Amino acid sequence: MFSLFKTDPTKKLKKAYSAKLEQAMQAQRNGDIRTYSQLTYEAEEIDKKIQEIEQSKRQ
């Protein structure tokens, strides 16, 4: 009944994931490959957290 008021924990992570990918794309366009790889790594870590949360919801 009160699940209407609960926020989705993955919503914030998905927004952060998209922002990291956007930053990584901009770094790649600017030729900063080191920053691009770091941001891509951080985005992958966020994606892993999202996958873990979604897996726990299914069980």
Side-chain angles (χ1 to χ4, degrees):
M1 179 177 169
F2 292 105
S3 65
L4 173 68
F5 300 113
K6 292 182 182 178
T7 59
D8 185 16
T10 60
K11 187 175 183 180
K12 189 174 184 180
L13 288 173
K14 287 179 181 180
K15 191 172 186 177
Y17 176 71
S18 294
K20 286 289 182 186
L21 289 179
E22 181 71 27
Q23 291 173 349
M25 180 187 67
Q26 292 300 323
Q28 185 181 29
R29 285 185 177 175
N30 291 334
D32 191 358
I33 302 304
R34 180 170 286 149
T35 303
Y36 165 74
S37 61
Q38 178 64 33
L39 291 170
T40 303
Y41 173 77
E42 292 172 10
E44 288 175 359
E45 293 298 314
I46 293 170
D47 188 45
K48 286 179 186 177
K49 290 178 187 176
I50 293 170
Q51 297 300 324
E52 289 173 4
I53 291 171
E54 289 178 349
Q55 282 289 341
S56 66
K57 282 183 180 179
R58 292 182 197 152
Q59 295 177 354

